[in-house]
Amino acid sequence: MKKRISLYVRSVLTFLRIVITKIFNIKGFHSAFIQDFSITTKISVTERGKILLKKHIHTKRNVILCAEGGTLEIGEECFFNNGCMAVAKERITIGNRVAFGPNVLIYDHDHDISSAESIHDSGYKTSPVVIGDDVWIGANTVILRGTVIGRDCVVGAGSVLKGVYPAGSVIVQKRTENIDEKGRVSG
């Protein structure tokens, strides 16, 4: 019974959040009304950005979806675990049924430190990020600008991705372990 009441309350709050976000961002925010957002999910549209959300998106606590002048498009039935963040200055496209483990970060931009004296004056380099349908991305993964992940990929936890990964790939980055003189793993 408590779960059912919680679901109804979350549904009403999500609906109200979508309506309020739409009112303040008439041109920059489009969403199906059938969503399941945690009450701590933050949606931000600035500098003529656009967020396009298809239906049945589920977020856990402290998820941030942000369009800072770019376009963030999320497909149907996507799941964002605790602490995920997507920030679009150009374009981030996420396919249908993509599942994100906790603390996954997606950025379509980097600081352009080659052209400025200070990091605060650097500006940005941008390249689109594309994540295909039915992708699973493990906890604490960072997806950087210019990355394309094909459909049906699995990304191991703790990965840092930049580049093109073909459909059906299992992406696990090599980890090194420190082994002491007695053969014990440390670190």
Side-chain angles (χ1 to χ4, degrees), residues 130-133 135 148-153 165-169:
V130 178
I131 301 172
D133 295 341
V135 172
V148 177
I149 302 171
R151 69 177 299 126
D152 298 315
C153 286
Y165 301 89
S169 296

Side-chain angles (χ1 to χ4, degrees), residues 19-96:
V19 169
I20 290 168
T21 304
K22 181 65 177 169
I23 288 169
F24 288 102
N25 300 286
I26 291 175
K27 293 182 180 178
F29 181 75
H30 304 282
S31 175
F33 287 106
I34 304 170
Q35 308 294 4
D36 184 12
F37 293 162
S38 162
I39 59 171
T40 58
T41 295
K42 179 182 175 187
I43 299 170
S44 173
V45 181
T46 62
E47 303 172 26
R48 297 186 192 164
K50 291 184 182 177
I51 294 181
L52 311 167
L53 305 176
K54 296 198 177 160
K55 62 185 176 180
H56 300 294
I57 296 169
H58 177 80
T59 67
K60 292 282 202 160
R61 293 184 305 256
N62 302 316
V63 171
I64 298 171
L65 305 174
C66 186
E68 294 179 352
T71 299
L72 174 59
E73 183 175 355
I74 302 173
E76 294 181 5
E77 299 178 30
C78 288
F79 171 77
F80 293 85
N81 210 324
N82 298 320
C84 290
M85 179 168 42
V87 181
K89 289 191 176 290
E90 185 175 323
R91 184 171 192 86
I92 297 173
T93 304
I94 299 170
N96 298 319

Side-chain angles (χ1 to χ4, degrees), residues 7 12-13 15 17 20 24-25 32 39 54 63 82 86-87 109 117 121 126 129 137 140 150 155-156 160 166 171 177:
L7 178 63
V12 169
L13 290 174
F15 177 79
R17 175 175 294 144
I20 290 168
F24 288 102
N25 300 286
I39 59 171
K54 296 198 177 160
V63 171
N82 298 320
V87 181
H109 60 280
E117 293 177 25
D121 301 325
T126 64
V129 171
I137 299 174
N140 300 310
V155 178
V160 178
I171 306 157
E177 296 178 347

Side-chain angles (χ1 to χ4, degrees), residues 120-151:
H120 302 290
D121 301 325
S122 65
Y124 297 97
K125 293 180 183 178
T126 64
S127 300
V129 171
V130 178
I131 301 172
D133 295 341
D134 302 303
V135 172
W136 184 83
I137 299 174
N140 300 310
T141 294
V142 179
I143 300 170
L144 300 172
R145 71 179 176 91
T147 300
V148 177
I149 302 171
R151 69 177 299 126

